[in-house]
Amino acid sequence: MTISYSPGWTASIREVVIGATAAEGGTRRISYRIGGESDLPCIGSGRKPLIAFEICDDPALWPDVIRSACTKLVDNPPAWAAYVDTTLQADLIRLNLTSTRRRNFDAYDAVSKTVIAVLQATSLPLIIEGSADADIDSEVFQRCGEAGEKEKLVLGTAEAARYRSVAAAAIAYGHSVIAQSPIDVNLAKQLNILLREAGVPDDRILIDPYTGALGYGFEYTYSTMERIRFAALKGDGDLAMPMICAPSDTLTIKEVRAAVHSHETAVSWEVATAVAAALAGATILVVRHPGSLAPLRTAIDSLWKEEVA
Amino acid sequence: MALKALDIYKLLPKKNCKECGDPTCLTFAMKLAQGKVEPDLCPYLDEEAKNILGASTRPPIQKVTVGMGTLSFTVGEEFVFYRHEKTFYHQPGIMYSVSDTESDDRIREVVSQVRGCRLTRIGIDLVLNGLAVYAESRSPERFAAAITVVTQDNPDLPLVLMASDPAVMEAGLAICGNYLPLIRGVNDQNCEAFCTLAKKYGAPLVVSGNDPEQLAANASRCTGLGITQLMLDLSGTEGEFIRASTLVRQAALARSVPGLGYPVFLDVRSSGFSGLITGITKFASVIVTRPLTRTEMQAALVMRQNIYTDPQKPIQMTPGLYRVGSPGRDDPVFLTVNFSLTYFTLQGYLESTRRSCWLLIVDTEGMSVLTAVAAGKLSESVVKDAIEKSGLASEVNHKTIIIPGYASPLSGRIEEYTGWKVIVGPRDAAEIASFIEEELK
Ligand code: B12
Ligand code: SF4
């Protein structure tokens, strides 16, 4: 008798390409084809999740623990990006344009400059988090999209209430879009449909199921991610997009902020959340603490190692 | 697959004689269907019914208890593969490992780490569950001595004994066997000897095998020798563990392989912290880990709490008027929601201000402030209701309530509808101390 695992899945996760090499018309040294899994995480022949390291262009809004872990870098996004690329060896960089969160923001030229400078400082593919305010979205996303034309960026974040600007920039310049909904399978599905209707091709959408921090809603995120993955594997094409998850959200919670050993705490909580998110189906894991990279890399390599027959 | 109550009822004698402790055969059948009672309680079952019921009312994963007394813990008895299908019931026991070659002082230190670890979140104590002692010395005397170091002061601390030589294991069991430690170390050669030991002490046994087939066969061999308190050893790298535990869980729930219907044991001494997180999320029931750093331990315990919280039922407080310190008639009234996490977070910050105050908890069906505002569960009528039901007006001399910053859109409506003056507090409870200082003089 052989005992085998028979999941009964009928479909697979859609593939999305991030980044463009010279051969693909961009300037990145590598591009990634993510998604494509036809089973649960770690089971079968699915790809390893990628680790994205998140930096920002205005550290005032960044957690203290990260500002102190990256002191000399936080005021210099290109240098920070280069460090993430060569020293930390992340797979991707997520540039969060926190400067746009300031009241009466109108430094649009600076946005273009920052994106271009970061693209020059690293040859890794880039995720760009633009503004979070409908009044400036259009201009900000237009600038980001334009600055990264041909680089196949990932632009975020589209939400049900404000997705048109980011979608328009992605369509115009060939980028992908992060679609975020508040921890709910049906809302995730609806938003994907809205994006499609707005003209974003299905293979240029990533689902962000919204990461409740460990201890503050992660239990909901975990279940929602599993459910999205199952729905996709059972054939729901509206949910068959790869997922991006931000364990970095965990850095803002009370336990981490109040910690005596704040760096150790940040790393433990970020890594724990990232490993569980990967097991629930995340394809891109976003972290912020430099100390999280190595342990997370080791864990993922070990989880996804092909079994020796 | 589990039988429905009506199918079970058809198999019962229908005497309604009450000897099972239930008023009727039908109510007994209903309890059987939920796995709440054992079929043996009915003395009149025929053989065939016993067989069918025995196999189908038993939970798909056997219940196993490790240890004795208040610190003992139970695992197994799980019914679902995906947490959201229902919930996971029995969280894994996390055991710190020590080797018997370590010094007595070091062993005592690890014991005190285990016993001293207590993290209270949402009003619930999160604890480590015990100690795993590994017979690295291969010496019966040393193994027994190491265990004695533990049991001298902590006889009731649940233990895992890890040794593959039956003589060494027996030396350990002679010290602590009556406290039902979990025994690990069975292999092809020593199976009979270990079963004899497990039987003698009534202790649960971890079985292993190179592949699922062999594992199932070994488990069946042990049950054949009369052992029912079994666990399956799926230790390996994180990836190997996931693949094996997925397969075992699926087979167990389908009841397709009798030898796999047991809780899972996982040793993560070599894979470390990420191995532990992997075990917590994917079906391990007892996890042996090297002692963790404090921050890793906390993250792991919170992860375990999250994974084992029913997503359909947020942990809730009973709505009503609560006191922080010993508030008088002039002290301030803070309003919050009945999501336990919100309450305990806020209460922690309020207590640290040392200012006595009232806390009015309104019923938002267990939703956090922001979620409740977004879902319309926190409204002026809910607040009015809470003020009236709690008798707040008769406890204080003023008519002012302080609402959470995130509820600010409701402030005007609450004032109009309740007649109470509303002050909007900070969004983040961490700022409540400075708020009290500045705004409440
Ligand atoms: C977990 C979660 C859920 C869980 C529910 C958890 C629960 N039991 O409430 C689930 C998945 C079910 C959920 C559902 C929804 N959610 Co939700 N959810 C969250 C999440 C991730 C965390 C909430 C949480 O637990 N916070 C922790 C607790 C402790 O926070 P809190 O109660 O606010 O308390 C703090 C402060 O308010 C303050 N405080 C508390 N009381 C008091 C009192 C006083 C006097 C003072 C001064 C301060 C104070 O202190 C606390 C600590 O700082 C948040 C995002 C986030 N990071 O906040 C989104 C979030 C709240 N959800 C959101 C939404 C939209 C929803 C839905 C409406 C989505 C939908 N359409 O279905 C639903 C609504 C529920 C429904 N209809 O069934 C939005 C709200 C948007 C907005 N700004 O209005 C958020 C912000 C996510 C987002 N960015 O989109 N959600
Ligand atoms: S003991 Fe058996 S026969 Fe009597 S009521 Fe219970 S189930 Fe029915």
Side-chain angles (χ1 to χ4, degrees):
Chain A
M1 168 189 62
T2 41
I3 303 161
S4 61
Y5 157 78
S6 52
W9 307 125
T10 55
S12 56
I13 309 296
R14 204 170 277 118
E15 292 188 328
V16 174
V17 175
I18 303 178
T21 61
E24 292 154 339
T27 63
R28 307 295 87 196
R29 70 169 182 277
I30 185 172
S31 65
Y32 302 107
R33 185 173 288 274
I34 64 169
E37 296 81 12
S38 53
D39 210 325
L40 299 179
C42 295
I43 315 272
S45 55
R47 298 187 173 111
K48 275 183 201 176
L50 301 176
I51 305 176
F53 193 90
E54 189 167 29
I55 65 175
C56 68
D57 70 341
D58 181 352
L61 286 171
W62 230 227
D64 289 341
V65 62
I66 304 302
R67 277 187 300 189
S68 81
C70 303
T71 25
K72 298 221 174 72
L73 302 164
V74 289
D75 291 314
N76 187 344
W80 200 356
Y83 169 79
V84 171
D85 180 342
T86 50
T87 307
L88 297 181
Q89 305 190 340
D91 299 313
L92 286 161
I93 292 174
R94 170 147 109 169
L95 169 63
N96 198 317
L97 297 170
T98 39
S99 61
T100 61
R101 312 281 157 109
R102 293 212 180 244
R103 216 171 274 183
N104 302 325
F105 171 85
D106 61 359
Y108 300 111
D109 286 343
V111 163
S112 308
K113 271 196 200 142
T114 306
V115 173
I116 290 170
V118 170
L119 278 166
Q120 279 165 357
T122 172
S123 53
L124 289 177
L126 229 56
I127 303 170
I128 310 245
E129 272 314 309
S131 47
D133 174 353
D135 294 339
I136 58 170
D137 274 354
S138 171
E139 186 69 24
V140 170
F141 285 116
Q142 157 73 24
R143 295 298 188 111
C144 297
E146 189 180 17
E149 188 170 13
K150 303 213 168 77
E151 300 287 6
K152 285 195 193 284
L153 305 175
V154 180
L155 294 181
T157 294
E159 296 168 32
R162 37 177 288 278
Y163 64 90
R164 292 192 181 275
S165 304
V166 60
I171 296 163
Y173 300 103
H175 306 307
S176 297
V177 174
I178 295 174
Q180 186 189 76
S181 40
I183 325 187
D184 187 296
V185 189
N186 297 320
L187 295 179
K189 181 174 165 120
Q190 260 176 40
L191 180 56
N192 290 341
I193 295 171
L194 287 174
L195 285 169
R196 177 190 304 140
E197 283 169 358
V200 182
D202 283 342
D203 63 358
R204 290 199 350 230
I205 299 176
L206 299 183
I207 297 176
D208 176 352
Y210 193 101
T211 312
L214 180 56
Y216 292 85
F218 185 69
E219 66 269 47
Y220 297 99
T221 298
Y222 182 85
S223 277
T224 300
M225 290 175 77
E226 280 199 325
R227 294 177 66 184
I228 290 174
R229 176 78 163 229
F230 305 148
L233 295 175
K234 282 189 207 143
D236 187 338
D238 296 333
L239 285 169
M241 290 74 176
M243 285 186 275
I244 178 169
C245 175
S248 52
D249 290 355
T250 291
L251 300 177
T252 55
I253 67 170
K254 176 181 162 194
E255 280 83 347
V256 177
R257 280 183 309 177
V260 186
H261 305 287
S262 57
H263 292 290
E264 257 182 65
T265 308
V267 170
S268 298
W269 287 63
E270 215 173 35
V271 170
T273 312
V275 169
L279 293 174
T283 298
I284 298 179
L285 302 163
V286 184
V287 295
R288 282 187 197 174
H289 198 287
S292 297
L293 238 124
L296 184 54
R297 176 78 69 201
T298 311
I300 286 174
D301 285 349
S302 163
L303 277 165
W304 266 266
K305 190 163 57 200
E306 281 305 303
E307 246 171 320
V308 240
Chain B
M1 274 291 125
L3 292 178
K4 297 220 169 58
L6 225 50
D7 300 325
I8 293 176
Y9 177 67
K10 288 182 190 144
L11 296 166
L12 296 181
K14 303 183 195 65
K15 287 152 115 38
N16 294 332
C17 68
K18 303 187 175 62
E19 286 181 42
C20 55
D22 258 76
T24 64
C25 295
L26 185 61
T27 53
F28 185 62
M30 279 158 32
K31 284 194 186 163
L32 277 173
Q34 296 162 344
K36 285 188 181 156
V37 293
E38 293 292 327
D40 318 340
L41 287 174
C42 169
Y44 305 108
L45 284 183
D46 59 34
E47 277 311 307
E48 193 201 340
K50 266 189 201 159
N51 278 336
I52 299 174
L53 290 177
S56 69
T57 60
R58 183 170 82 72
I61 298 172
Q62 170 82 42
K63 169 169 142 186
V64 173
T65 299
V66 180
M68 278 261 279
T70 49
L71 298 179
S72 70
F73 63 93
T74 296
V75 293
E77 263 196 320
E78 298 291 349
F79 295 86
V80 296
F81 192 90
Y82 308 126
R83 203 178 67 116
H84 51 265
E85 287 176 289
K86 189 163 170 64
T87 186
F88 291 168
Y89 289 96
H90 295 110
Q91 57 176 26
I94 302 177
M95 325 288 272
Y96 275 4
S97 69
V98 288
S99 159
D100 67 351
T101 57
E102 292 180 85
S103 71
D104 291 359
D105 280 346
R106 170 66 188 157
I107 295 174
R108 276 190 208 102
E109 187 188 323
V110 178
V111 171
S112 71
Q113 278 179 25
V114 170
R115 300 230 55 169
C117 136
R118 182 159 275 114
L119 179 66
T120 307
R121 283 195 87 257
I122 329 178
I124 297 167
D125 282 338
L126 309 182
V127 296
L128 294 168
N129 301 83
L131 201 75
V133 188
Y134 169 48
E136 198 176 358
S137 71
R138 295 162 186 264
S139 143
E141 294 75 28
R142 178 56 204 155
F143 191 50
I147 291 169
T148 309
V149 172
V150 181
T151 55
Q152 257 167 3
D153 299 323
N154 297 284
D156 55 345
L157 187 67
L159 296 178
V160 183
L161 305 190
M162 307 204 285
S164 52
D165 178 345
V168 175
M169 185 59 85
E170 179 141 36
L173 284 170
I175 310 287
C176 64
N178 295 334
Y179 283 90
L180 308 187
L182 180 63
I183 307 175
R184 185 210 193 191
V186 178
N187 54 34
D188 286 348
Q189 288 84 51
N190 65 19
C191 187
E192 250 107 274
F194 265 70
C195 285
T196 310
L197 286 175
K199 218 167 174 174
K200 178 168 165 197
Y201 290 96
L205 184 67
V206 179
V207 289
S208 58
N210 290 330
D211 52 43
E213 291 78 17
Q214 204 195 357
L215 185 60
N218 289 349
S220 299
R221 193 163 150 205
C222 294
T223 35
L225 292 167
I227 315 288
T228 54
Q229 290 279 290
L230 288 176
M231 287 203 202
L232 307 174
D233 193 348
L234 299 184
S235 304
T237 66
E238 288 102 312
E240 287 162 356
F241 170 74
I242 288 278
R243 289 181 274 272
S245 72
T246 302
L247 188 152
V248 163
R249 181 71 153 224
Q250 197 194 39
L253 294 181
R255 298 173 197 267
S256 57
V257 187
L260 295 183
Y262 298 96
V264 163
F265 174 90
L266 171 64
D267 178 353
V268 299
R269 282 176 300 160
S270 52
S271 54
F273 181 58
S274 57
L276 174 60
I277 298 298
T278 304
I280 290 171
T281 47
K282 291 290 172 182
F283 319 132
S285 283
V286 169
I287 310 177
V288 171
T289 169
R290 285 182 199 285
L292 303 168
T293 65
R294 233 192 119 62
T295 65
E296 287 174 335
M297 179 271 290
Q298 290 176 338
L301 292 179
V302 174
M303 181 62 78
R304 181 177 69 177
Q305 184 182 37
N306 269 191
I307 296 294
Y308 281 78
T309 299
D310 187 344
Q312 284 142 54
K313 268 190 275 159
I315 305 174
Q316 304 184 22
M317 302 292 300
T318 313
L321 190 60
Y322 288 67
R323 290 156 206 261
V324 181
S326 38
R329 305 186 67 86
D330 295 320
D331 281 314
V333 180
F334 292 94
L335 176 141
T336 196
V337 296
N338 76 323
F339 184 33
S340 291
L341 179 63
T342 305
Y343 167 79
F344 283 106
T345 309
L346 181 64
Q347 189 226 27
Y349 284 116
L350 282 173
E351 273 178 355
S352 64
T353 67
R354 307 257 169 106
R355 165 90 194 238
S356 289
C357 58
W358 301 92
L359 201 48
L360 180 64
I361 301 194
V362 306
D363 188 355
T364 55
E365 297 165 27
M367 282 187 198
S368 78
V369 175
L370 252 182
T371 317
V373 172
K377 299 285 179 191
L378 181 57
S379 64
E380 59 276 21
S381 60
V382 169
V383 174
K384 184 171 187 208
D385 214 43
I387 292 176
E388 282 167 5
K389 275 201 191 133
S390 65
L392 177 60
S394 61
E395 297 281 359
V396 295
N397 282 337
H398 58 84
K399 281 193 93 177
T400 304
I401 46 172
I402 302 158
I403 64 168
Y406 285 124
S408 64
L410 300 171
S411 66
R413 272 181 280 151
I414 297 176
E415 284 200 339
E416 269 168 41
Y417 200 69
T418 64
W420 283 60
K421 180 173 182 287
V422 170
I423 299 179
V424 177
R427 289 182 163 193
D428 190 337
E431 283 149 29
I432 212 137
S434 52
F435 171 82
I436 290 180
E437 207 142 280
E438 287 157 25
E439 307 288 323
L440 309 178
K441 86 165 169 339

